[in-house]
Short mmCIF file of all heavy atoms in Angstrom, two decimals:
data_model
loop_
_atom_site.label_atom_id
_atom_site.label_comp_id
_atom_site.label_asym_id
_atom_site.label_seq_id
_atom_site.Cartn_x
_atom_site.Cartn_y
_atom_site.Cartn_z
N CYS X 513 -17.51 37.82 -37.95
CA CYS X 513 -17.99 38.54 -36.76
C CYS X 513 -16.83 39.20 -36.03
O CYS X 513 -16.93 40.36 -35.59
CB CYS X 513 -18.71 37.58 -35.82
SG CYS X 513 -20.35 37.06 -36.38
N PHE X 514 -15.73 38.46 -35.89
CA PHE X 514 -14.57 39.03 -35.19
C PHE X 514 -13.99 40.21 -35.97
O PHE X 514 -13.64 41.24 -35.38
CB PHE X 514 -13.50 37.96 -34.99
CG PHE X 514 -12.22 38.50 -34.42
CD1 PHE X 514 -12.15 38.95 -33.12
CD2 PHE X 514 -11.08 38.59 -35.21
CE1 PHE X 514 -10.97 39.47 -32.60
CE2 PHE X 514 -9.90 39.10 -34.71
CZ PHE X 514 -9.85 39.54 -33.40
N ALA X 515 -13.88 40.08 -37.30
CA ALA X 515 -13.34 41.18 -38.11
C ALA X 515 -14.22 42.42 -37.98
O ALA X 515 -13.72 43.54 -37.84
CB ALA X 515 -13.22 40.76 -39.57
N GLY X 516 -15.53 42.23 -38.00
CA GLY X 516 -16.43 43.37 -37.85
C GLY X 516 -16.36 43.98 -36.48
O GLY X 516 -16.36 45.21 -36.32
N LEU X 517 -16.29 43.13 -35.44
CA LEU X 517 -16.20 43.65 -34.08
C LEU X 517 -14.87 44.34 -33.83
O LEU X 517 -14.79 45.31 -33.07
CB LEU X 517 -16.39 42.50 -33.08
CG LEU X 517 -16.49 42.90 -31.60
CD1 LEU X 517 -17.67 43.84 -31.38
CD2 LEU X 517 -16.62 41.66 -30.73
N ALA X 518 -13.80 43.85 -34.49
CA ALA X 518 -12.50 44.50 -34.33
C ALA X 518 -12.55 45.95 -34.80
O ALA X 518 -11.84 46.81 -34.26
CB ALA X 518 -11.43 43.72 -35.10
N ALA X 519 -13.38 46.23 -35.81
CA ALA X 519 -13.53 47.60 -36.29
C ALA X 519 -14.12 48.51 -35.22
O ALA X 519 -13.94 49.73 -35.28
CB ALA X 519 -14.40 47.63 -37.55
N PHE X 520 -14.82 47.96 -34.24
CA PHE X 520 -15.38 48.75 -33.15
C PHE X 520 -14.27 49.24 -32.22
O PHE X 520 -14.45 50.21 -31.49
CB PHE X 520 -16.40 47.90 -32.37
CG PHE X 520 -17.24 48.68 -31.40
CD1 PHE X 520 -18.00 49.75 -31.82
CD2 PHE X 520 -17.27 48.34 -30.06
CE1 PHE X 520 -18.78 50.48 -30.93
CE2 PHE X 520 -18.04 49.05 -29.15
CZ PHE X 520 -18.80 50.13 -29.59
N PHE X 521 -13.11 48.56 -32.25
CA PHE X 521 -11.96 48.99 -31.46
C PHE X 521 -10.96 49.77 -32.31
O PHE X 521 -10.12 50.48 -31.77
CB PHE X 521 -11.26 47.77 -30.85
CG PHE X 521 -12.03 47.13 -29.74
CD1 PHE X 521 -13.05 46.23 -30.02
CD2 PHE X 521 -11.77 47.43 -28.42
CE1 PHE X 521 -13.78 45.64 -29.00
CE2 PHE X 521 -12.49 46.85 -27.39
CZ PHE X 521 -13.50 45.96 -27.69
N GLY X 522 -11.04 49.62 -33.61
CA GLY X 522 -10.16 50.33 -34.53
C GLY X 522 -10.52 49.94 -35.94
O GLY X 522 -10.41 48.76 -36.29
N GLN X 523 -10.97 50.89 -36.74
CA GLN X 523 -11.41 50.53 -38.08
C GLN X 523 -10.28 49.96 -38.92
O GLN X 523 -10.51 49.15 -39.82
CB GLN X 523 -12.03 51.76 -38.76
CG GLN X 523 -13.33 52.21 -38.12
CD GLN X 523 -13.95 53.42 -38.78
OE1 GLN X 523 -13.77 53.65 -39.98
NE2 GLN X 523 -14.66 54.23 -38.00
N ASN X 524 -9.04 50.36 -38.63
CA ASN X 524 -7.92 49.76 -39.34
C ASN X 524 -7.80 48.28 -39.02
O ASN X 524 -7.44 47.48 -39.89
CB ASN X 524 -6.62 50.49 -38.99
CG ASN X 524 -6.28 50.43 -37.52
OD1 ASN X 524 -7.16 50.47 -36.66
ND2 ASN X 524 -5.00 50.32 -37.19
N HIS X 525 -8.11 47.88 -37.77
CA HIS X 525 -8.08 46.46 -37.42
C HIS X 525 -9.11 45.69 -38.24
O HIS X 525 -8.84 44.58 -38.72
CB HIS X 525 -8.39 46.27 -35.93
CG HIS X 525 -7.29 46.72 -35.03
ND1 HIS X 525 -6.07 46.09 -34.97
CD2 HIS X 525 -7.21 47.76 -34.14
CE1 HIS X 525 -5.29 46.70 -34.09
NE2 HIS X 525 -5.96 47.72 -33.58
N GLY X 526 -10.30 46.24 -38.39
CA GLY X 526 -11.31 45.57 -39.19
C GLY X 526 -10.84 45.36 -40.62
O GLY X 526 -11.06 44.29 -41.20
N ALA X 527 -10.19 46.39 -41.20
CA ALA X 527 -9.70 46.27 -42.57
C ALA X 527 -8.57 45.25 -42.67
O ALA X 527 -8.56 44.40 -43.57
CB ALA X 527 -9.23 47.64 -43.06
N TYR X 528 -7.60 45.32 -41.75
CA TYR X 528 -6.47 44.39 -41.79
C TYR X 528 -6.94 42.94 -41.63
O TYR X 528 -6.54 42.04 -42.37
CB TYR X 528 -5.46 44.72 -40.68
CG TYR X 528 -4.80 46.06 -40.78
CD1 TYR X 528 -4.34 46.72 -39.64
CD2 TYR X 528 -4.61 46.69 -42.01
CE1 TYR X 528 -3.71 47.96 -39.71
CE2 TYR X 528 -3.99 47.92 -42.10
CZ TYR X 528 -3.55 48.56 -40.94
OH TYR X 528 -2.94 49.78 -41.03
N ILE X 529 -7.79 42.71 -40.64
CA ILE X 529 -8.22 41.34 -40.34
C ILE X 529 -9.14 40.83 -41.44
O ILE X 529 -9.07 39.66 -41.84
CB ILE X 529 -8.90 41.28 -38.96
CG1 ILE X 529 -7.88 41.64 -37.87
CG2 ILE X 529 -9.47 39.90 -38.69
CD1 ILE X 529 -8.49 41.85 -36.51
N GLY X 530 -10.02 41.69 -41.95
CA GLY X 530 -10.87 41.27 -43.06
C GLY X 530 -10.05 40.84 -44.26
O GLY X 530 -10.33 39.81 -44.89
N LEU X 531 -9.01 41.61 -44.60
CA LEU X 531 -8.14 41.25 -45.71
C LEU X 531 -7.41 39.94 -45.42
O LEU X 531 -7.27 39.08 -46.31
CB LEU X 531 -7.13 42.37 -45.96
CG LEU X 531 -6.13 42.16 -47.09
CD1 LEU X 531 -6.86 42.01 -48.43
CD2 LEU X 531 -5.15 43.34 -47.16
N SER X 532 -6.96 39.76 -44.19
CA SER X 532 -6.25 38.53 -43.82
C SER X 532 -7.15 37.31 -43.97
O SER X 532 -6.74 36.28 -44.52
CB SER X 532 -5.75 38.63 -42.37
OG SER X 532 -4.86 39.70 -42.21
N TYR X 533 -8.37 37.41 -43.48
CA TYR X 533 -9.27 36.26 -43.52
C TYR X 533 -9.75 35.97 -44.94
O TYR X 533 -10.02 34.80 -45.27
CB TYR X 533 -10.45 36.50 -42.58
CG TYR X 533 -10.08 36.37 -41.11
CD1 TYR X 533 -8.77 36.12 -40.72
CD2 TYR X 533 -11.02 36.54 -40.10
CE1 TYR X 533 -8.42 36.01 -39.39
CE2 TYR X 533 -10.68 36.43 -38.76
CZ TYR X 533 -9.38 36.17 -38.41
OH TYR X 533 -9.04 36.06 -37.08
N LEU X 534 -9.84 36.97 -45.79
CA LEU X 534 -10.14 36.72 -47.20
C LEU X 534 -8.98 35.98 -47.87
O LEU X 534 -9.20 35.12 -48.73
CB LEU X 534 -10.42 38.03 -47.92
CG LEU X 534 -11.77 38.70 -47.63
CD1 LEU X 534 -11.85 40.06 -48.30
CD2 LEU X 534 -12.93 37.81 -48.09
N THR X 535 -7.76 36.32 -47.46
CA THR X 535 -6.60 35.59 -47.98
C THR X 535 -6.63 34.13 -47.54
O THR X 535 -6.33 33.22 -48.31
CB THR X 535 -5.30 36.26 -47.49
OG1 THR X 535 -5.30 37.63 -47.89
CG2 THR X 535 -4.08 35.55 -48.08
N VAL X 536 -6.99 33.91 -46.27
CA VAL X 536 -7.15 32.54 -45.78
C VAL X 536 -8.20 31.81 -46.60
O VAL X 536 -8.03 30.63 -46.97
CB VAL X 536 -7.54 32.54 -44.29
CG1 VAL X 536 -7.96 31.15 -43.84
CG2 VAL X 536 -6.38 33.05 -43.45
N MET X 537 -9.30 32.48 -46.89
CA MET X 537 -10.36 31.86 -47.69
C MET X 537 -9.84 31.47 -49.08
O MET X 537 -10.17 30.39 -49.59
CB MET X 537 -11.53 32.84 -47.83
CG MET X 537 -12.76 32.24 -48.49
SD MET X 537 -14.07 33.47 -48.71
CE MET X 537 -14.30 34.04 -47.02
N PHE X 538 -9.02 32.33 -49.66
CA PHE X 538 -8.46 32.02 -50.97
C PHE X 538 -7.52 30.81 -50.89
O PHE X 538 -7.60 29.88 -51.71
CB PHE X 538 -7.70 33.24 -51.50
CG PHE X 538 -6.84 32.94 -52.70
CD1 PHE X 538 -7.41 32.76 -53.95
CD2 PHE X 538 -5.46 32.81 -52.57
CE1 PHE X 538 -6.61 32.47 -55.06
CE2 PHE X 538 -4.66 32.53 -53.66
CZ PHE X 538 -5.24 32.36 -54.92
N LEU X 539 -6.64 30.80 -49.90
CA LEU X 539 -5.69 29.69 -49.78
C LEU X 539 -6.40 28.37 -49.49
O LEU X 539 -6.08 27.33 -50.07
CB LEU X 539 -4.69 29.99 -48.66
CG LEU X 539 -3.74 31.18 -48.89
CD1 LEU X 539 -2.89 31.41 -47.66
CD2 LEU X 539 -2.87 30.95 -50.11
N ALA X 540 -7.37 28.42 -48.59
CA ALA X 540 -8.09 27.20 -48.25
C ALA X 540 -9.02 26.75 -49.36
O ALA X 540 -9.46 25.60 -49.36
CB ALA X 540 -8.89 27.42 -46.96
N GLY X 541 -9.32 27.66 -50.29
CA GLY X 541 -10.26 27.32 -51.35
C GLY X 541 -9.62 26.78 -52.61
O GLY X 541 -10.34 26.38 -53.54
N ILE X 542 -8.28 26.77 -52.68
CA ILE X 542 -7.61 26.25 -53.87
C ILE X 542 -7.90 24.75 -53.99
O ILE X 542 -7.61 23.96 -53.09
CB ILE X 542 -6.10 26.50 -53.80
CG1 ILE X 542 -5.82 28.00 -53.83
CG2 ILE X 542 -5.38 25.80 -54.95
CD1 ILE X 542 -4.36 28.36 -53.71
N GLY X 543 -8.48 24.37 -55.09
CA GLY X 543 -8.82 22.97 -55.33
C GLY X 543 -10.18 22.57 -54.81
O GLY X 543 -10.65 21.46 -55.09
N ALA X 544 -10.84 23.47 -54.05
CA ALA X 544 -12.17 23.15 -53.53
C ALA X 544 -13.24 23.49 -54.56
O ALA X 544 -13.00 24.21 -55.53
CB ALA X 544 -12.43 23.91 -52.23
N GLU X 545 -14.45 22.98 -54.36
CA GLU X 545 -15.56 23.28 -55.25
C GLU X 545 -15.94 24.75 -55.13
O GLU X 545 -15.91 25.33 -54.04
CB GLU X 545 -16.76 22.41 -54.92
CG GLU X 545 -16.54 20.93 -55.19
CD GLU X 545 -17.81 20.13 -54.91
OE1 GLU X 545 -18.84 20.76 -54.54
OE2 GLU X 545 -17.77 18.90 -55.07
N PHE X 546 -16.33 25.32 -56.25
CA PHE X 546 -16.69 26.73 -56.28
C PHE X 546 -17.88 27.00 -55.35
O PHE X 546 -17.93 28.04 -54.69
CB PHE X 546 -17.02 27.16 -57.71
CG PHE X 546 -17.49 28.59 -57.81
CD1 PHE X 546 -16.59 29.64 -57.69
CD2 PHE X 546 -18.84 28.88 -58.00
CE1 PHE X 546 -17.03 30.95 -57.77
CE2 PHE X 546 -19.28 30.18 -58.07
CZ PHE X 546 -18.37 31.22 -57.97
N ARG X 547 -18.80 26.06 -55.30
CA ARG X 547 -19.98 26.25 -54.45
C ARG X 547 -19.57 26.36 -52.98
O ARG X 547 -20.13 27.17 -52.23
CB ARG X 547 -20.94 25.08 -54.64
CG ARG X 547 -22.22 25.19 -53.81
CD ARG X 547 -23.12 23.98 -54.04
NE ARG X 547 -23.54 23.91 -55.43
CZ ARG X 547 -24.31 22.94 -55.91
NH1 ARG X 547 -24.73 21.97 -55.13
NH2 ARG X 547 -24.65 22.96 -57.19
#
């Protein structure tokens, strides 16, 4: 929600933050169940 709302203030912010949070998801998902 925050990444999408950030795009309302600057679409580059939405892209940067979306990419950052996907990276967080990858790091936090190492060793976790695929589901």
Side-chain angles (χ1 to χ4, degrees):
C513 286
F514 173 70
L517 187 60
F520 191 57
F521 289 82
Q523 292 180 29
N524 61 324
H525 288 293
Y528 296 153
I529 296 170
L531 180 61
S532 299
Y533 287 2
L534 286 174
T535 304
V536 169
M537 188 184 303
F538 168 76
L539 295 175
I542 295 177
E545 294 183 2
F546 177 75
R547 181 181 298 179

